[in-house]
Amino acid sequence: MKIVIRCDASVAIGTGHVVRCLTLARALAERRHQVSFVMRDLPGNMCDRVAAAGFAVHRLPAPNAPYDPEPGTPVHAVWAAVPAREDAEQTVAALHGETQDWIILDHYAFDAEWEFRVREACVRLMVVDDLADRPHLCELLTDQNLGRHRADYNGLLPDACRRLIGPQFALLRPEFASQRAAVLADRPRRGLNRVIIAMGGIDAPNATVTVLATLPQGLEITVVMGSAAPHLDVVRALAAQKGARVLVDTPDMADLMGWADVAIGGVGGSAWERSALGLPTLMVVLADNQAPAAAALAATGAAVLIGRAEDAGLAAALHAALADLAAPGALGAMSAAAAALCDGGGAPRVLRALEAAPMHLRPATLVDAKRIWNWRQASDSRLFRSGANPDWPDHAAWFDRALADASRRLYIAETAGRPVGHLRLDCTGDSGTVSLVIDPDYRGQGMAVRMLAAAEAEARRLHLGALRAEVHLNNAASRTAFRQAGYRLEAEADGFLVLTLTL
């Protein structure tokens, strides 16, 4: 596929958007997809770093005057440095008429207006977001934030847009997943000796200096910063006095996080890197948009929020938090809570969603009855609520009655023009009960998650408020699929889990 990624880095924006997009780009390139970037020439941009990673970069011109966004534009519109219309036109022009299979947008400054204007240049569009604060016109959206709910995007997305929500979709480099088991096995044997300070690539508020000046003697301290950080020289001078080392633009974050016993840092994408390696964290909020994620992380016990960068009491809060972590069992408990949030496998999951052909639901007809019956015969009947597979005459009679039942909807799921499964939706009031069966030839290929996404879109079209499913305790594949599709456990009875999804 041909894929272009539109993202930016700057002193105002930070580096996190580009870092996570580079992770996804590398995963796509390994699968032999053609990936390029469109980035604006802003102070603190990472165009050279992206180019050094082997990707073509279409550089949009630096703005020639300050940009004052009009009312009604996204809250972060000023980050674009130009109006959305102008940016969209320049983005399309940079592609020189080559239609992209995907445009991937990771930019808080743009919404459905920008996306509408670039549709001529792509087949499908994906948005990477964290805010759920503006409308989008896309086929796929991912939001890695803990505490984010699928319903937060209601009214902001097309009904058919697939939503990948939660830390399980965080775009982390593969070394976080590959080192996870060894690092987690080693953590219980550790004390509080090694500290990493990582406030993001920019750290405009200069929280690093406050934290570094506050840390007591006797700790091994490593500070991580980006080369565009405006306070880098000040940090280096203080680090020399404290006996700490400073690493700039380091590519070895997984090794560093595996080495550290505790991290002190911001609440951007690095929060999920730390979680994947079970690294206890003392969090500093560097920007307003980080506050919700910080609160959600603190609520799980995976991290401690010590305050905002500008808080006068930040140093005192840091001292108190370090004292608490020195208590027996405190580090271990926080590490276990962190590790439970993210397994580091988000990039492959997003990659599979990008590579998947669109899935469509069509109404089933009597012609489909035999096909569905054959699919059921190839399934373990013990996992069905009925506990058995019907014979063909009984199934045919039931299917005929079901087609005539206004409260019951039967579908065939198709992808790339081929039927791959059957989905049933029983509607009662404003909710529906969903069940599915997959063609044996397509099992183990992620079809169930995609069918559930299609069912969610259909339920929204029907104005349903919730979906429900019953899954046998021993049906591990279905349990995983429903969990990945956002369903939550509501009850357990008679060997079945009752799962629900609020729309």
Side-chain angles (χ1 to χ4, degrees), residues 41-58:
D41 188 4
L42 300 171
N45 71 72
M46 296 175 64
C47 296
D48 290 342
R49 180 170 169 181
V50 172
F55 298 100
V57 179
H58 307 283

Side-chain angles (χ1 to χ4, degrees), residues 57 101 227 301 392 452:
V57 179
D101 293 285
S227 55
W392 165 243
L452 290 172

